[in-house]
Amino acid sequence: MTNFTLQILGVACILSLAAPLFAEPIALRHLPAFVIVALLSAIGHFCLIMALSLAPAAVIQPFTYLVIIYAFMIGYVALGEIPGPATIIGGLIIAGAGIFALRHEHRRSSVRLKE
């Protein structure tokens, strides 16, 4: 809970400092959407922290790469955006690094089991 709370407070403080430079007033009709996004983000972050407390990061982290796929799909369906080459290459690099780390951890743990 400490990790969760400090991360949320840290981000809130940093964004509060940057808000006067970049933020624009939002319409009141958009406020419920902002609240829902904030709540869902907090719940998702809390679930990730709980998952990392139950299993090694090398096992959990590849599942978080699904966020990249979901972002592509939402961008395409909701906004009609097609990811550019740099976005696709970046996503592949991130996912590839995660798969490499998972395989490396799997090999390392199987070597330990044989010893």
Side-chain angles (χ1 to χ4, degrees):
M1 285 307 290
T2 303
N3 185 12
F4 177 68
T5 305
L6 290 176
Q7 285 184 356
I8 288 177
L9 289 175
V11 169
C13 289
I14 290 169
L15 291 179
S16 294
L17 293 173
L21 302 173
F22 302 102
E24 295 180 19
I26 61 169
L28 287 179
R29 64 187 160 104
H30 294 149
L31 195 56
F34 276 83
V35 171
I36 290 169
V37 168
L39 287 174
L40 291 175
S41 297
I43 291 168
H45 188 71
F46 180 75
C47 288
L48 180 60
I49 289 171
M50 294 308 297
L52 289 169
S53 72
L54 298 172
V59 173
I60 301 297
Q61 200 57 37
F63 291 103
T64 64
Y65 299 139
L66 289 173
V67 170
I68 297 170
I69 295 168
Y70 294 147
F72 286 165
M73 291 186 326
I74 291 170
Y76 180 73
V77 171
L79 306 172
E81 292 181 352
I82 298 174
T87 303
I88 292 171
I89 291 169
L92 290 173
I93 289 170
I94 292 168
I99 292 168
F100 174 80
L102 179 63
R103 292 188 67 185
H104 178 71
E105 182 66 25
H106 178 70
R107 283 189 199 138
R108 207 170 76 176
S109 65
S110 64
V111 168
R112 275 188 257 143
L113 291 175
K114 290 179 184 176
E115 293 175 354

